Amino acid sequence: MSRHAESQASAAVIVPVPRPRRSTKSPALWQAAALSVVVASTVSVIVLWLRGYTLDHTGPGAVFTMIGGATGLIGAHLLLWQIITLARIPLFERGIGRDVVVRWHRWLGFAAFGFIGVHVLFVVEGARRALGRPAEGIGDTSLVEPGVAIAFVGTALMGLFVVALSFRFIRRRLRYELWHLAHLVAYVAAALSVPHQLWVGRTFMNSTAASVYWWTLWGAAFAATGYWRVLLPLWRTRRYDVRVADVEPHGTRGILLTMRGRDLGPLRARGGQFFTWRFGGSPGWTRGHPISLAYRPIASRPGGPIDTWQIAVRVVGDGTRRMSGLTPGTRVGFEGPYGRVTGDLRHGNRLLMFGAGAGVGPMMAILAEQEWAPGQAVLVTRDRVAADQMMRPEIEALVERRGLTWHAIYGEPNLSGTGPTWMSADDVADGAQVIRDWAADLADTDVFLCGPPVWMRSIGRDLRAAGVPRRHIHTESFDL
């Protein structure tokens, strides 16, 4: 280790602990259930299309119209799933995970718009061939067929506001309010684009049952979005009455924010999970901040109900700067808990935790909640300078009381190409070997990571090179 790294460990004797307690609802079962729903939905759409396009569908432009109908149905189905993926439905949050859901959402948007674009081109060409007039496909299609003109408007909205704003280099330059508006436009675009299929699509014109099924599917998607994203958070915010209790500086660029509510136990929040927070009483209160719990939910008095949450926040912009100025009593709106990276994913007895900046918070929450013996848990933190270190008193308490081993890495990133990029510029050692030195038994170790995506990917490469089984590496992203 370089001079930029510190290590603290307890001299306590390592003793065995019981196997980690696992959830009665296995993550594997959640995943199987979520994937089964996706497969069933896809198969049903294929069956709908096969039943709708019969052999008597002939004539000029028939092949173009048939392909246009198929691509339109596929595009609509992908658009449906793009809405579902951000509806915060527990089945998919727990079964697939936020990082996978986010990737699905982004690429489903591009794929849906692509299929819908092909659908428009082929339907227009089919109409042109059927009418025998070379330049009137769009005019005849949009004006004669009911609802198609509205669908063109929806498609245009989707292209201008949704797909364009989904590119990463554009999204990074947008204010939250505009990015949020783009998502609202997405729902409007979907509402405008889909109904014409029921009015003019052969798949639905030939079958009342198919129409009922399609309407029900879309109705359920919008209902789920309204319930999980709007109604339930509003009800929970009112029911649990969460308020800011304390804002404590942590390091030179961080705060530890404590909140208290009315018997938070029924929410069953776990270490490693996150909420989307909104803080009233100040400008920008509509902006949602996805931040993980920094300590397990606790009771503020012995024997009392669970009523206290804490989050660790790195002050990096206007939104987090406003959070550092919050006063006790400020009302807190929240969505969650979300995320599946909790102690339930453990396979072994040992823990190796990596946290960069505020990412140390969820690592501490998992450590505080889980069972492990002295010497069987290792925490690695990463900051540019020691003064930035967050939750130092809490970490040192675990070192002293429970035998946590702590490696604190400081310094500029290693960009020389001669050492692990997740360490400091002075570290030129083999990253995989460093991990082997830290973890006494990789086969019995679960690794949890939280930090910038590039940093986590760098650690992931060295973890795999060190021989850590993929199923023992646990990470999740909740950033769009």
Side-chain angles (χ1 to χ4, degrees):
M1 296 297 294
S2 75
R3 60 186 176 86
H4 294 276
E6 301 176 357
S7 178
Q8 298 185 41
S10 169
V13 177
I14 299 176
V15 296
V17 295
R19 296 292 296 177
R21 290 178 294 178
R22 303 298 298 274
S23 170
T24 55
K25 297 179 179 178
S26 167
L29 293 178
W30 279 104
Q31 186 176 57
L35 294 177
S36 296
V37 172
V38 175
V39 171
S41 173
T42 303
V43 170
S44 69
V45 169
I46 294 173
V47 171
L48 285 178
W49 182 77
L50 292 174
R51 288 175 58 88
Y53 278 89
T54 56
L55 294 177
D56 65 344
H57 188 62
T58 59
V63 173
F64 286 89
T65 303
M66 182 182 67
I67 295 175
T71 53
L73 195 59
I74 294 171
H77 184 245
L78 295 175
L79 188 62
L80 171 74
W81 275 103
Q82 193 192 27
I83 293 172
I84 290 175
T85 53
L86 282 196
R88 303 293 201 194
I89 300 173
L91 175 65
F92 301 106
E93 293 287 323
R94 299 179 187 178
I96 301 176
R98 181 97 300 251
D99 50 349
V100 177
V101 165
V102 167
R103 288 198 298 272
W104 280 19
H105 175 79
R106 183 178 297 122
W107 289 108
L108 282 170
F110 288 119
F113 185 72
F115 274 101
I116 291 173
V118 173
H119 161 73
V120 172
L121 294 176
F122 273 80
V123 166
V124 167
E125 180 62 15
R128 185 191 69 80
R129 290 176 178 247
L131 295 169
R133 298 196 295 269
E136 298 181 10
I138 293 178
D140 287 316
T141 303
S142 62
L143 297 178
V144 175
E145 303 291 2
V148 176
I150 298 176
F152 273 114
V153 174
T155 302
L157 287 174
M158 194 183 308
L160 292 174
F161 289 92
V162 181
V163 175
L165 297 181
S166 294
F167 288 102
R168 194 181 300 273
F169 71 93
I170 297 177
R171 188 171 68 253
R172 287 175 176 172
R173 291 168 170 77
L174 294 179
R175 293 186 63 84
Y176 172 83
E177 289 76 13
L178 184 56
W179 176 236
H180 185 67
L181 176 63
H183 278 78
L184 295 179
V185 171
Y187 294 120
V188 175
L192 294 176
S193 301
V194 173
H196 80 285
Q197 292 181 309
L198 300 171
W199 300 329
V200 301
R202 181 173 292 271
T203 298
F204 304 104
M205 292 174 66
N206 291 344
S207 172
T208 302
S211 297
V212 172
Y213 172 80
W214 197 239
W215 275 119
T216 301
L217 203 60
W218 275 92
F222 278 99
T225 300
Y227 176 75
W228 294 107
R229 296 302 305 273
V230 181
L231 296 180
L232 186 61
L234 288 175
W235 180 83
R236 284 178 169 174
T237 295
R238 182 177 179 83
R239 157 68 177 82
Y240 293 101
D241 191 26
V242 177
R243 307 273 177 163
V244 172
D246 185 49
V247 181
E248 179 185 357
H250 264 236
T252 56
R253 297 192 299 129
I255 60 171
L256 188 66
L257 196 155
T258 302
M259 296 167 283
R260 291 199 177 95
R262 187 168 50 226
D263 188 10
L264 305 175
L267 290 171
R268 299 179 182 178
R270 299 286 308 280
Q273 291 187 305
F274 70 94
F275 291 77
T276 298
W277 310 95
R278 291 178 172 83
F279 301 93
S282 65
W285 66 269
T286 59
R287 180 186 295 265
H289 301 274
I291 303 172
S292 299
L293 294 175
Y295 206 73
R296 71 183 190 277
I298 59 176
S300 60
R301 64 180 187 277
I306 291 175
D307 61 358
T308 302
W309 287 332
Q310 288 182 315
I311 58 174
V313 183
R314 178 77 84 189
V315 179
V316 294
D318 292 342
T320 50
R321 192 170 295 110
R322 281 193 290 267
M323 292 170 64
S324 65
L326 292 173
T327 57
T330 299
R331 187 156 198 163
V332 182
F334 63 93
E335 299 177 47
Y338 300 129
R340 67 189 184 104
V341 177
T342 67
D344 289 344
L345 299 181
R346 289 179 68 184
H347 298 279
N349 289 309
R350 297 175 179 272
L351 292 167
L352 176 56
M353 324 293 285
F354 291 86
V360 70
M363 301 299 96
M364 288 293 291
I366 295 174
L367 285 170
E369 183 182 82
Q370 291 295 296
E371 293 180 349
W372 43 274
Q376 291 186 324
V378 177
L379 172 65
V380 181
T381 61
R382 181 71 170 92
D383 292 278
R384 289 184 181 269
V385 296
D388 287 345
Q389 179 69 59
M390 299 185 66
M391 302 191 72
R392 179 181 287 272
E394 290 78 6
I395 297 172
E396 292 176 342
L398 285 183
V399 171
E400 178 67 25
R401 298 172 187 171
R402 295 190 61 185
L404 173 71
T405 300
W406 174 31
H407 300 283
I409 303 173
Y410 306 116
E412 295 298 319
N414 184 356
L415 304 178
S416 65
T418 59
T421 59
W422 52 274
M423 299 182 75
S424 72
D426 288 350
D427 288 305
V428 295
D430 180 357
Q433 185 57 51
V434 171
I435 290 170
R436 294 190 195 99
D437 293 339
W438 286 343
D441 184 359
L442 291 175
D444 193 36
T445 300
D446 284 274
V447 184
F448 291 81
L449 300 93
C450 187
V454 173
W455 183 77
M456 290 194 293
R457 286 195 294 269
S458 175
I459 297 174
R461 288 191 292 268
D462 281 343
L463 287 170
R464 292 188 292 273
V468 179
R470 286 182 179 269
R471 68 192 186 101
H472 286 211
I473 303 174
H474 314 299
T475 180
E476 187 170 48
S477 172
F478 42 77
D479 182 22
L480 278 176

